[in-house]
Amino acid sequence: MSNIKDNEISALVEAAKDGFAKAYAPYSNFHVGAAALTTNGNIVKGCNVENASYGLTVCAERNCLAQGVISGEQAFSAIVIYTNQEKLTPPCGACRQVIVEFLAPDALVMAVNHNNDKKQWTVNQLLPDAFTPKDLLEL
Ligand code: THU
């Protein structure tokens, strides 16, 4: 797994918690925050944003990475997902695919909750044999 320092993890957890506090989830009441470390050492964050047309909901992880892209960063070395669930929240399938787009296979994905319980994976563990930009090269 890529080397992320303890102080960077702490900063990511704080940022993800901040994102969590901003979640717009009136339908599920399932609040999620996310924060990602860019390869330039910056932190971006996001939250889930739901919609009365439920299918238009966008998860915290995807909003977080989009926030990074909007601020000019397209490479990330870690992403943290924060919820207040006893059972730690792993990224959904759609988010795994978007994570693969912007994080290396050995990059860190970490779930954390209000008890500071933590679970971590590499990107490759969450989505092995992923379809990536490289698969488009033979077009
Ligand atoms: N959600 C996320 O934000 N990230 C995930 O990885 C799992 C699900 C959100 C979407 C929806 O607003 C709520 O959690 C319940 O599915």
Side-chain angles (χ1 to χ4, degrees):
M1 194 167 310
S2 57
N3 272 336
I4 309 296
K5 299 185 197 87
D6 285 350
N7 65 314
E8 290 173 321
I9 301 274
S10 306
L12 280 168
V13 171
E14 279 313 303
K17 192 172 175 181
D18 222 43
F20 170 85
K22 308 257 168 41
Y24 178 73
Y27 308 108
S28 72
N29 206 31
F30 191 93
H31 292 218
V32 187
L37 181 65
T38 76
T39 53
N40 289 324
N42 298 313
I43 288 180
V44 291
K45 56 192 165 188
C47 61
N48 54 333
V49 179
E50 298 187 345
N51 192 277
S53 178
Y54 300 160
L56 300 184
T57 291
V58 182
C59 294
E61 298 92 314
R62 279 178 284 150
N63 278 331
C64 172
L65 295 174
Q67 193 60 50
V69 172
I70 288 161
S71 61
E73 308 253 21
Q74 298 185 352
F76 306 86
S77 44
I79 186 164
V80 168
I81 302 143
Y82 184 100
T83 58
N84 63 352
Q85 305 295 309
E86 295 296 327
K87 182 188 175 302
L88 292 162
T89 302
C92 79
C95 289
R96 292 179 195 207
Q97 181 65 32
V98 174
I99 287 169
V100 159
E101 185 81 15
F102 296 114
L103 281 79
D106 69 339
L108 172 71
V109 181
M110 178 182 280
V112 58
N113 68 8
H114 56 299
N115 299 323
N116 208 33
D117 299 325
K118 294 186 173 102
K119 182 166 184 178
Q120 64 183 57
W121 308 266
T122 63
V123 169
N124 185 59
Q125 283 173 328
L126 290 175
L127 195 61
D129 298 321
F131 179 73
T132 74
K134 284 184 187 143
D135 292 298
L136 294 172
L137 290 178
E138 287 177 23
L139 273 183

